[in-house]
């Protein structure tokens, strides 16, 4: 893991770069390192303040003329799945998620590579090597976990572990007030399962089982098709100038 001094965090500002969500806009980010014994507490504090984690970096948008990126967290205890979400849960009832330490495997990378090639061929992560993936998973000083989703076996109810091929993976951080979904990916050939939605529903269930109030989804950009799925998980809160406020959306929940 990358090592850095463990004194009070220093914050830095990136140079402008093209925005991946809004054409013609440029983004800047403020960031700091999450290292040392204080990293978990700092990660909690910064996530509650709208930051996201990538490896041992916590960052948030700091664009000069745009405030389109909005931090979103689901209110897990109040959440009720829509009819469509219930169908997705039923469709994936044969899957079970096993929690592991944040350690990369070749099987995970093969699935990650297939997912990127199918869904994000032109994205910023498209050229990630197996070493890049390993760094994404294991370069962390906070309590990060990998959840591997496989089909249930005859002993899964006892072991909590599935069998057969890896279907989906979520990299998540355990926080004092909930779970933060850092990154997730799945088998693109099984698109009928809606595995992205299923993993969010599973995280909501895990947060509720642990009596934790929130599931953090990162940033939502109104009008961005890439981000549209996040608004479907109601009720939720958005971080604004006055802090976290309940957001009511008129989307059809079917």
């Amino acid at each position: 893991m990358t090592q850095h001094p463990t004194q009070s965090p220093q914050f830095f500002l990136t140079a402008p770069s093209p925005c991946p969500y809004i054409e013609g806009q440029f983004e800047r980010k403020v960031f700091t390192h999450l290292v040392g014994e204080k990293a978990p507490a700092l990660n909690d504090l910064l996530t509650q303040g709208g930051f996201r984690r990538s490896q041992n970096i916590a960052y948030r948008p700091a664009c000069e003329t745009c405030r389109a990126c909005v931090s979103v967290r689901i209110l897990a205890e109040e959440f009720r799945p829509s009819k469509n979400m219930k169908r997705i849960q039923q469709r994936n009832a044969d899957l079970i998620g096993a929690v592991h330490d944040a350690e990369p495997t070749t099987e995970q990378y093969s699935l990650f590579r297939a997912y990127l090639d199918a869904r994000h061929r032109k994205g910023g992560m498209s050229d990630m090597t197996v070493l890049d993936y390993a760094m994404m998973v294991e370069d962390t000083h906070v309590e990060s976990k990998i959840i591997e989703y496989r089909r249930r076996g005859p002993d899964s109810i006892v072991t909590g572990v599935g069998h057969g091929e890896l279907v989906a993976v979520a990299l998540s951080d355990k926080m004092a007030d909930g779970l933060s979904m850092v990154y997730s990916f799945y088998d693109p050939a099984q698109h009928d399962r809606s595995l992205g939605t299923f993993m969010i529903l599973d995280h909501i269930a895990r947060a509720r089982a642990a009596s934790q109030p929130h599931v953090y989804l990162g940033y939502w950009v109104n009008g961005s098709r890439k981000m549209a799925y996040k608004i479907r998980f109601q009720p939720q809160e958005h971080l604004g100038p006055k802090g976290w406020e309940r957001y009511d959306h008129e989307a059809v929940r079917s």
Side-chain angles (χ1 to χ4, degrees):
M1 296 183 183
T2 308
Q3 298 296 319
H4 296 275
T6 58
Q7 293 90 350
S8 298
Q10 292 182 297
F11 290 87
F12 307 90
L13 188 65
T14 65
S17 61
C19 176
Y21 304 113
I22 302 178
E23 187 174 354
Q25 290 281 359
F26 286 84
E27 67 171 359
R28 301 189 76 176
K29 296 175 182 175
V30 60
F31 69 95
T32 189
H33 294 98
L34 294 169
V35 293
E37 297 179 356
K38 297 180 180 180
L42 180 60
N43 186 49
D44 280 10
L45 182 65
L46 292 178
T47 301
Q48 292 162 6
F51 280 71
R52 292 290 286 166
R53 184 183 72 81
S54 177
Q55 297 176 216
N56 64 1
I57 298 291
Y59 69 91
R60 68 169 296 171
C63 307
E64 295 179 1
T65 60
C66 180
R67 297 293 182 270
C69 292
V70 179
S71 293
V72 173
R73 67 185 186 188
I74 302 166
L75 298 174
E77 188 60 38
E78 296 182 53
F79 174 80
R80 297 295 181 269
S82 66
K83 292 180 180 179
N84 182 59
M85 290 174 183
K86 288 179 181 178
R87 288 193 290 267
I88 291 171
Q89 289 174 319
Q90 280 294 113
R91 202 176 302 150
N92 292 284
D94 62 329
L95 300 182
I96 186 170
V99 180
H100 303 278
D101 291 336
E103 297 176 354
T105 67
T106 55
E107 186 182 23
Q108 291 169 15
Y109 179 72
S110 294
L111 184 64
F112 176 70
R113 189 70 264 164
Y115 173 78
L116 290 183
D117 291 344
R119 300 294 301 270
H120 301 286
R121 185 179 295 273
K122 296 181 180 180
M125 303 173 72
S126 61
D127 60 350
M128 285 182 64
T129 67
V130 64
L131 293 179
D132 294 327
Y133 174 76
M135 290 291 287
M136 182 179 79
V137 172
E138 67 184 4
D139 194 4
T140 175
H141 288 246
V142 305
E143 189 174 359
S144 302
K145 297 294 182 180
I146 282 279
I147 305 177
E148 293 187 343
Y149 296 87
R150 304 177 193 269
R151 285 181 171 82
R152 294 179 182 272
D155 61 344
S156 293
I157 193 171
V158 176
T159 65
V161 177
H163 295 261
E165 66 179 3
L166 189 61
V167 175
V169 174
L171 173 63
S172 303
D173 291 345
K174 296 183 68 175
M175 300 170 49
D177 70 332
L179 299 173
S180 177
M181 297 186 70
V182 177
Y183 197 78
S184 60
F185 52 94
Y186 51 85
D187 181 357
Q190 301 194 42
H191 55 85
D192 291 343
R193 284 184 175 270
S194 300
L195 288 164
T197 296
F198 171 68
M199 283 189 280
I200 295 175
L201 294 172
D202 183 62
H203 277 69
I204 296 171
R206 291 173 185 273
R208 292 179 67 167
S211 298
Q212 294 180 310
H214 304 124
V215 174
Y216 290 84
L217 291 185
Y219 302 116
W220 170 68
V221 178
N222 193 7
S224 170
R225 294 183 63 184
K226 295 180 182 179
M227 301 285 197
Y229 70 93
K230 297 183 180 182
I231 212 67
R232 295 169 51 221
F233 298 87
Q234 299 283 332
Q236 60 184 232
E237 291 180 330
H238 290 186
L239 183 60
K242 298 180 180 179
W244 289 99
E245 296 183 308
R246 195 181 188 93
Y247 178 82
D248 294 316
H249 186 59
E250 298 298 330
V252 177
R253 289 169 54 79
S254 62

